[in-house]
Amino acid sequence: MIGLGAISDTDGVDPHLLRSFVAVARRRSFSAAARELGFTQSAVSQQVAALEADLGAVLLNRRPVTPTRAGARLLDHAVPLLLRLDAARADVARLAAPPSARVVVGASPLAVTALGPALADVRREHPDLVVTVRVLGRSALIREVATAAVDVGLADGAVAPSDSLPLPDAGPLRAVGVLERPLAVLLPPRHPLAGRAGLRLADLAAAGWIDAPDTAVPLGRLRTAAGAEGYRASVRYEGTDVGGLVALVGAGHGLAVLPDPTGAALSGVTAVPVTEPRLVHRVEAVHSPTLAGVPAALAAALTG
Amino acid sequence: MIGLGAISDTDGVDPHLLRSFVAVARRRSFSAAARELGFTQSAVSQQVAALEADLGAVLLNRRPVTPTRAGARLLDHAVPLLLRLDAARADVARLAAPPSARVVVGASPLAVTALGPALADVRREHPDLVVTVRVLGRSALIREVATAAVDVGLADGAVAPSDSLPLPDAGPLRAVGVLERPLAVLLPPRHPLAGRAGLRLADLAAAGWIDAPDTAVPLGRLRTAAGAEGYRASVRYEGTDVGGLVALVGAGHGLAVLPDPTGAALSGVTAVPVTEPRLVHRVEAVHSPTLAGVPAALAAALTG
DNA sequence: CCAAGTTACGAGTCACGTAAGGATT
DNA sequence: AATCCTTACGTGACTCGTAACTTGG
C-alpha cells in the first residue's frame, strides 16, 4: 500500500490546514489570508475545502466569509492547538541551542515588583548581562513563555494561600511561587468605606468596578471567589500600566482589587485589605523545565 | 513555487510523525510501533528520522530504544497535543452527528453521588433511555470528555469554596459546579485523633497516608493546600473504588482525605472534618459546549 | 461586470513499501 | 545467526501554482 491519503483516520486534524483556516477566518477573506500565508488564493481555497472534506462539515460561509457553527467551534480548538505545536518545537529547540547570555523576562504588571532582589543578584553575578523586562498581559505571558520568546515569566493572580495559580496550559511548564501578598480593594479617597480596616468582597458586589483583566484581579475571578454575582464593570481598562488604573480609581470611575502594599504610587487612592474570602495575591515564576544558563540562574534566584 | 517541502517553518511539528514517535517511545521498539501503527518498520524509522531532522535533535537512542533528553521533553508535549488534536475532530464531528438517545456519563469515584436526583429527572423524562455510567480516574475523565467518548463528565477535587476545579485543559470545555461538601480525614477507629470534632491538615503532615490519586484527594494537593511538606505515602492505591480505600484506612494502612459524609460505607473508619485550610470537596460537570439532545438535558439538570 | 472564490490541470515533492545493508547481541 | 534499525530506490499520491471558470453584489 502506498501513500494512504486520508491523514484523518489516525491523526486529529492537519495543522497545516488548520493554520490556513484560522487565517481565513481571522481576515474574513481567502485572498487576504493567502497573502498573509504566502500562498495563492487558490491554494488556500483548496486547503479549506480539504479541511471541510476531512471533517465532513462546512466550516465557513463564503461571501461574506463567516465561520459556521462548526467553524467557530474548530477555531476555539485551533488557536491553543497551534500554540502548543509551536511550543513543542521551541522547547526541543532550546535543548539543542547554546546557552545565551541574553535574558528576557516577561511579567504581568503586578508581578514586576517581584523581580527586585533576585534580578539584582543575577546582575551582580553577571555584570555585562543585558536583561530585557517585558510587561505583558496574562494570556500573552504564557504564550511567550511557551514559545521561548521570553525565558522566564512572572505571572500573578488571586488564589487561596499557597495554592498555585490556574495557568492556561500551553505545555509542561514549571511554575513556582515567588511572592504572596494580601489583597486590597482600591477605593477613591472619599469613598464611604475608605476608613475601614478590612473589607469583605461580597459587600462590594453591587459597587461599580473597573475591569482591568490584564492589570488588576479580573472581575470574573472576584465573582467565582466570592461565589456571588455582581461586580459589574463601569470601565474597561486595557492597558498594562498600574499607575493609569490607580488614577482611574482615584477619579472615582470604579474600584479595583490589587495586592495590598501596591508599592510606590498610591497617591489619590486608599487601599483597604480584603478579609473575606481569604485570598492572596500570588506571583509565580513560569519557565520551561529545559531552561539553562543565565536564565535558569535567574529563575532559581527568583524562587530561592 | 511548488511543493514547499519543509512543513517545519510554518507549522509546529508534524503530528503524524509525532504519533509514530510516541508509539516508538512507548513500546521501546521501532518494529513493535510499526505493527501497532500499521506501517512497515522501515516507514517508522524514516518517520522518526524525519522528525529528528526537522527538530535538529536526536530524540531516541537506539538499541535499546530510549528517549534522549530532547525526546523526553517532546513526549511531554506530544501526549496532550495529540489528545487535543483528536478532541478538535471529535468536537466538530459531534456538531454534524445526529443527536443520539444514548448517554454516557463519566465520573470520578467521589463524584458519582452527585448524579442522584438529576439522573432520576432525566430518566423520568426519557423512560426508555439507556444511561451508561463509567467510573474513571481524573486524567482519563477529561480525555474521554474531550474526545466525546463520554458525553458528560463529573470531576471532583479539593478547592477553596466556590473556586473552580483546576482541570487539565484538553480544549474548550464547559465546567460548572454541581456540589460542594466539606472535607474530612478518614481515620482508623482507634486513631488518637479519632474523637476530635475537627482537624487541621497541617497537624497530620507527619502521619502515614494512602496515596489514592484517582480516588481520594491526591497527596500533592494536600501539600500545596497546606503549604507544607510531608504527607508521605505508605500505600499507593490505584483502584477507583472508594470502598476498597476505606477498608485500607480501616485496617490502619494510612489516612486519606475525602468529602465528609462519604455516604453509605463508613464502616470501620471515622471521618473527622478538616477545618484548616478552608477547602471544600467540589464536583463539577464537564462537557463540550456543543452538547445537544438528551446529554445536554442531563447536563442542565445536573447544574440546575 | 468586477471582485472573490472554485475547479481543472500539470509539475514537483513526498511518503510510503520493497529490498538490501549494517550493527549489535 | 538472528534481530533490529537504517539506507537505497521506485511508485503512487498529494499539494501547490497557473489559468480558466463561476457566482454574487
Side-chain angles (χ1 to χ4, degrees), chain B residues 12 39 48 69 84 96-97 118 121 127 148 169 176-177 181 192 211 221 243 254-255 260-261 284 288 302-303:
Chain B
F39 288 128
V48 172
R69 223 166 94 71
R84 291 202 65 146
D121 286 354
D169 88 301
V176 290
R181 288 174 291 181
D211 190 19
R221 184 71 190 92
L255 313 184
D260 188 4
E284 285 184 3
S288 162
L302 278 166
T303 69

Side-chain angles (χ1 to χ4, degrees), chain A residues 106-133:
Chain A
S108 54
L110 295 177
V112 181
T113 51
L115 260 177
L119 184 55
D121 286 354
V122 171
R123 299 195 58 237
R124 192 174 314 116
E125 205 69 27
H126 305 268
D128 50 357
L129 175 70
V130 178
V131 179
T132 303
V133 178

